[in-house]
Structure formats: C-alpha cells, structure tokens
Amino acid sequence: MFLRVLKSPKQEHQTLAIDGHRAVRVRGNLVYPTGSSTDTPTFYLAISTYIADEKHMVSLEASAPVDVDESVIQEIIKIEESVKFDKGG
C-alpha cells in the first residue's frame, strides 16, 4: 500500500490505496460545544476516508473521544480499509 502523510497543525492527510483504488484519509480534532456556557467543550478525533473508483466516490466518517484507546482507532481504520468494490458489471 502506498502511503503519504501530510501534516498541518489541525489535520493529518494520508493518500493510500484501498482495494486497488485511490483513497485519502483525513484525521483531525473536532470540538463539539455542549450548548451550555458553563460546560467545557468535548473534543473528538474525526477520521474521514474517501475512496474513488472509475465512477464513484465512497465517503466513510467516524469520530471518537480524543482519549479513546488506540485499539478503537485501529478498528475504525481496519473497517475503512476493508471496503471492497464489486468487480462485476
């Protein structure tokens, strides 16, 4: 699998191949306000993966609290990378 990582202060971009197709994974932190001025906002890690074949683009979105166990993040990535395109007609 080809992998290139570009980092910015807020996001990480990876280009890769999933099922032989071009894909991009974007990871970054999101802040969800609680709606209350006294509560602190909740931070989440957002993982978005976009996979393109000749005619379609598949978008997969996931988010988890920033302090989640790394095994959860690895499971999200494993699910995203298991996408298969129908090779039939």
Side-chain angles (χ1 to χ4, degrees):
M1 164 178 26
F2 171 74
L3 178 66
R4 185 177 80 177
V5 178
L6 302 173
K7 289 188 178 183
S8 70
K10 297 179 184 180
Q11 291 185 335
E12 176 183 293
H13 300 79
Q14 297 175 320
T15 57
L16 59 150
I18 296 176
D19 192 35
H21 300 284
R22 292 172 39 157
V24 176
R25 179 177 297 123
V26 180
R27 290 174 64 155
N29 289 337
L30 296 176
V31 179
Y32 289 118
T34 60
S36 170
S37 61
T38 59
D39 291 340
T40 58
T42 304
F43 291 88
Y44 288 88
L45 172 64
I47 303 172
S48 304
T49 301
Y50 307 94
I51 309 163
D53 73 353
E54 296 80 26
K55 298 179 183 179
H56 307 94
M57 198 263 312
V58 175
S59 172
L60 302 157
E61 308 283 333
S63 62
V66 292
D67 59 354
V68 72
D69 188 81
E70 181 63 24
S71 65
V72 174
I73 302 302
Q74 292 306 314
E75 190 65 24
I76 291 169
I77 291 170
K78 185 171 124 182
I79 291 167
E80 290 177 343
E81 291 181 356
S82 70
V83 169
K84 302 287 183 207
F85 285 85
D86 183 3
K87 308 286 190 225

